[in-house]
Amino acid sequence: MLTPTGERIELENGSARAEVGTVAARLCMVRIGDVAITEPIDHDATPVFSNGSVLVPWPNRVRDARWTYDGRVLQLDVTEPARGNALHGLLQFTEHEVRERTDASVTLGAAVPPQHGWPFLLDSWVRFELLPDGIDVTHGVVNTGTLSAPYATGTHPFLRIGDIPTEELALEVPAASYFAVDDRLNPTGELEVLDTPYDLRAPRLVGGLELDTAFGGLSTADRVSATLVARNGATLKVLQDDDWQYLQVFTTKIYAGPNGLKTAIAVEPMTAPPDALNSGLGLRWLEPGELWEGSWGLRYAEGATR
């Protein structure tokens, strides 16, 4: 069945369920028992705010959709017209092929071919492995071209804990720095979070946050880069490998059907911060034939009651 998110692949592991769409290797839904831990995308819905999308070969923005390679200024397509930037890489509308599949896992892959502002050839894949208490997601790439190629990746899941209103959840992010931005959301500098509204090292209610902010200086004990906590003690943890040194947090309102709008939060693991093609921060240069893989994940734990 053709949907806006492509073929919907269902995964099962015990009472856990997930759905992955082949367009953008999109995480469409994760549910542990009867508790949704991501904002689900309906089968007939067009995803908003890049919900669940894979971000390759850069996350977030490239300022003015321009960057310099080997002394030449390269012009990417402008995919964020209102701000004049290139947004979320080159695969957010690309159909992926199924490369491996089991009851609880699937690997989706797609090429990143040469195009405007991008003279490289990469082979990219994402492996989703559903667990009884969450999901592990491994991003991989190999440089199949003849040029040394820049690479970064990220993902864009919107998180929740069942039917608990998102504004009532508390968010903790063990980050020492954040990226200040201009009116086009391009970074202007990396600053300490101390004594700023961006200090989330102690839990703060999501309802009191207004963020579209990248964080650095992560201190990830046991790989945990962010934690959402409900009043009943239920927790949802975001995990990141050592190569994933950045995290974007985005709060917004989304459509909630007849009830109008509701608060939503995207917590986005990234291997590089915004505008990495220009700054070089977190950017990995892959030699021809070189392969890289790295993972992030989600873990849910029940509270006293639901």
Side-chain angles (χ1 to χ4, degrees):
M1 177 182 177
L2 185 64
T3 77
T5 50
E7 179 188 355
R8 297 283 285 250
I9 298 168
E10 297 181 359
L11 306 180
E12 297 183 9
N13 189 335
S15 66
R17 300 287 184 273
E19 290 186 6
V20 177
T22 53
V23 172
R26 192 180 302 274
L27 187 59
C28 296
M29 181 274 287
V30 183
R31 182 178 292 273
I32 309 301
D34 60 356
V35 177
I37 63 172
T38 65
E39 289 288 346
I41 302 169
D42 292 340
H43 279 240
D44 59 351
T46 299
V48 297
F49 297 119
S50 299
N51 185 1
S53 179
V54 64
L55 315 176
V56 171
W58 69 82
N60 209 274
R61 294 165 175 83
V62 178
R63 183 191 308 270
D64 300 323
R66 292 193 188 101
W67 68 292
T68 301
Y69 172 74
D70 197 23
R72 295 178 294 141
V73 176
L74 300 184
Q75 178 66 63
L76 299 156
D77 289 336
V78 174
T79 54
E80 190 184 32
R83 298 189 176 104
N85 301 317
L87 184 66
H88 289 337
L90 301 172
L91 294 183
Q92 59 177 327
F93 305 109
T94 297
E95 175 75 14
H96 287 59
E97 65 176 0
V98 177
R99 296 187 177 176
E100 293 182 359
R101 185 173 179 179
T102 70
D103 289 345
S105 69
V106 65
T107 300
L108 302 179
V112 185
Q115 54 198 282
H116 299 155
W118 182 261
F120 314 103
L121 178 61
L122 303 179
D123 183 44
S124 170
W125 62 90
V126 187
R127 183 176 188 270
F128 300 86
E129 182 180 3
L130 185 63
L131 306 173
D133 61 346
I135 194 166
D136 278 340
V137 185
T138 300
H139 295 229
V141 65
V142 63
N143 182 355
T144 52
T146 59
L147 301 173
S148 176
Y151 174 82
T153 189
T155 187
H156 206 294
F158 277 83
L159 305 183
R160 62 189 287 180
I161 296 181
D163 295 329
I164 299 171
T166 298
E167 62 267 23
E168 296 179 8
L169 302 176
L171 174 68
E172 181 179 355
V173 177
S177 63
Y178 76 99
F179 288 81
V181 296
D182 60 20
D183 59 357
R184 295 164 56 208
L185 297 183
N186 289 310
T188 58
E190 186 175 2
L191 306 175
E192 292 185 1
V193 300
L194 184 65
D195 297 327
T196 75
Y198 305 100
D199 193 344
L200 301 175
R201 291 175 293 182
R204 293 174 56 194
L205 284 177
V206 173
L209 303 176
E210 293 185 9
L211 298 173
D212 195 350
T213 306
F215 292 90
L218 293 175
S219 178
T220 53
D222 298 323
R223 298 177 64 216
V224 178
S225 62
T227 305
L228 284 170
V229 183
R231 289 180 180 175
N232 65 8
T235 62
L236 179 59
K237 295 181 178 181
V238 181
L239 312 180
Q240 298 181 199
D241 281 357
D242 289 343
D243 284 344
W244 298 66
Q245 287 295 307
Y246 301 91
L247 186 75
Q248 184 88 9
V249 180
F250 173 46
T251 57
T252 188
K253 297 290 186 180
I254 61 173
Y255 180 64
N259 296 324
L261 299 177
K262 67 177 182 179
T263 299
I265 184 169
V267 182
E268 310 165 34
M270 305 185 300
T271 65
D275 203 28
L277 284 182
N278 285 305
S279 72
L281 290 174
L283 202 62
R284 181 176 298 273
W285 284 88
L286 300 170
E287 295 303 317
E290 186 175 353
L291 179 149
W292 175 88
E293 285 190 330
S295 300
W296 66 277
L298 301 174
R299 296 291 188 276
Y300 170 71
E302 291 185 349
T305 59
R306 292 188 186 172

